[in-house]
């Protein structure tokens, strides 16, 4: 038995959708309610959904909530809480798909449930996935929309290759980690996230994480804890992959690994693949990777390897559709609508202009829409908003007075200490390194740069880390470093001395 989990339409949602489809047919916008024709209609409305996903929605089968929301938006409807409900039911793996037809409206032909549509397993996250990773997945996927074509490409690779790697590459902020997190949420596959700000960036951490999950999921090799030497190189991982493939011959063994570019390569042997990833994989084993497209890594394999370059022409148009869908969804918020009202700005114009300014960068939208909600752009017109993520950081830097004369050296130092230390730390720890009182540090962290930080409760103490590496990239840009008058070497020495003092007392290096 397996669990199917997702959302399905309620009677209310179904009735609203039926009325809309009846209206579209009566106006001859569509000739019949068929999944392929509705797919084309959604595309014409700048909403991409595959025919198979549409078929599942119409057939009353579980889909992810973002796909259901996308379909409603394409039908010029907003998805209301009364339109859907969580679906959780059991099915027999060997059971053939139902061929019972579905009639969505009285004057339309039935839509058969195509036998080739493969059910996704909408299971809960694996209990062996660490709490840090579980929280990350839930946070990143809470407002996920679009990207169905990426998931279709992954599914196609899994069904047409005996094994292999899939690499999703893009610039910072385009959504690689969110795509991988959503895939983990949908499929409940084994997963590891490299998080340099949280101190998770070493090869041994990766090996321990994946090996524990393989043993827990497939009951392979031995009981926990791991045997000595298991995290020193890739041999034990290879052994577990062989056994896992033998234990699960009917379903693929999929491992998702995020942010290869954040791995500390000094934590592994020179010449080895990043994270000791195997050059060969057993049949039925697949590894999904994400990494920045501008960071070269040691990685050479002799199995099928598909690269999904989100910056390539193949995906640009679809990424643009996803960007517009995300803006459309977020613009339903009252605070955004109020800003549009004050600006006398049409919603469609807002979507078009902000989409162009985003340069296909979701992180940009995350920040700008958040700033609009917080009232930071109440005196800005749509034309005044910065274009692109780099310009957004520059604009915020200036708004916070970081280029003022004389330079606010205390604020600058606090920000650079946080970006350089590469781990979640408390305000008290930052104050000791920066030499400022805790209240000043707290003000800078929460008021000036709060939207760029991830706040965690670690051992009953609030700790801060940089939310996204693109902000650190901005801080380390040569012209920004020079304008800020920062001596990075001095900051690194102070951080090192602080860590040394924590272990050895007041003795200096």
């Amino acid at each position: 038995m397996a669990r199917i989990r997702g959302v399905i339409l309620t009677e209310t949602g179904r009735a609203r959708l039926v009325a809309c489809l009846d209206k579209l047919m009566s106006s001859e916008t569509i000739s019949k309610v068929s999944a392929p024709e509705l797919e084309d209609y959604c595309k014409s409305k700048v909403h991409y959904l595959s025919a198979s996903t549409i078929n599942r929605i119409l057939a009353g089968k579980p889909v992810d909530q973002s796909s259901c929301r996308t379909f409603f938006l394409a039908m010029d409807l907003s998805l209301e809480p009364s339109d859907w409900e969580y679906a959780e039911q059991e099915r027999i793996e060997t059971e053939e798909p139902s061929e019972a037809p579905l009639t969505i409206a009285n004057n339309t032909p039935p839509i058969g449930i195509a036998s080739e549509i493969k059910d996704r397993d909408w299971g809960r996250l694996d209990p062996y996935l660490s709490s840090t990773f579980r929280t990350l997945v839930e946070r990143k996927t809470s407002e996920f929309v679009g990207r169905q074509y990426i998931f279709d490409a992954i599914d196609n690779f899994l069904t047409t290759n005996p094994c292999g790697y899939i690499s999703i590459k893009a610039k910072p902020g385009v959504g690689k980690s969110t795509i991988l997190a959503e895939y983990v949420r949908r499929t409940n596959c084994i997963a590891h996230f490299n998080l340099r700000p949280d101190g998770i960036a070493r090869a041994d951490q990766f090996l321990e994480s994946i090996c524990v999950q393989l043993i827990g999921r497939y009951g392979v090799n031995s009981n926990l804890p791991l045997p000595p030497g298991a995290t020193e190189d890739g041999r034990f991982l290879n052994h577990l992959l062989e056994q896992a493939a033998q234990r699960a011959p009917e379903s693929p063994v999929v491992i998702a690994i995020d942010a290869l570019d954040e791995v500390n390569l000094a934590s592994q042997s020179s010449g080895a693949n990043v994270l000791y990833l195997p050059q060969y994989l057993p049949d039925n084993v697949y590894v999904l990777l994400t990494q920045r497209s501008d960071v070269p890594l040691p990685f050479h394999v002799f199995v099928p390897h598909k690269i999904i370059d989100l910056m390539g022409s193949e995906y640009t148009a679809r990424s643009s559709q996803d960007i517009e869908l995300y803006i459309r969804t977020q613009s339903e918020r009252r605070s955004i609508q109020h800003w549009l009202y004050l600006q006398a700005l049409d919603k469609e114009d807002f979507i078009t202009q902000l989409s162009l300014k985003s340069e296909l960068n979701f992180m940009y939208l995350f920040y700008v829409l958040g700033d609009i909600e917080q009232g930071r752009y109440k005196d800005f017109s749509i034309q005044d908003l910065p274009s692109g993520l780099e310009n957004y950081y520059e604009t915020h830097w200036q708004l916070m007075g970081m280029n003022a004369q004389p330079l606010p050296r205390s604020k600058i130092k606090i920000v650079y200490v946080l970006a350089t230390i590469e781990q979640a730390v408390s305000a008290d720890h930052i104050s000791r390194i920066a030499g400022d009182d805790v209240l000043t540090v707290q003000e800078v962290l929460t008021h000036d740069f709060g939207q760029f930080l991830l706040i965690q409760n670690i051992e009953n103490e609030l700790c801060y880390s940089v939310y996204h590496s693109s902000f650190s990239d901005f801080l380390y840009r040569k012209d920004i470093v020079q304008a800020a008058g920062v001596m990075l070497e001095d900051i690194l020495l102070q951080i090192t001395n602080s860590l040394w003092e924590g272990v050895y007392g007041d003795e200096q290096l």
Side-chain angles (χ1 to χ4, degrees), residues 343-402:
Q343 298 292 326
L345 185 61
D346 178 74
K347 178 179 174 182
E348 295 303 318
D349 287 342
F350 172 67
I351 293 170
T352 299
Q353 294 189 55
L354 192 60
S355 175
L356 291 173
K357 285 180 172 291
S358 75
E359 298 178 355
L360 303 183
N361 195 292
F362 279 91
M363 187 57 59
Y364 167 90
L365 293 177
F366 175 80
Y367 288 137
V368 168
L369 290 169
D371 282 349
I372 291 176
E373 281 200 287
Q374 296 298 319
R376 295 189 179 98
Y377 289 145
K378 60 183 179 181
D379 297 324
F380 281 48
S381 69
I382 184 69
Q383 291 79 19
D384 294 331
L385 297 181
S387 296
L389 188 59
E390 285 280 306
N391 285 332
Y392 169 81
Y393 287 139
E394 288 187 20
T395 299
H396 187 85
W397 192 254
Q398 293 170 10
L399 287 174
M400 294 301 103
M402 306 303 275

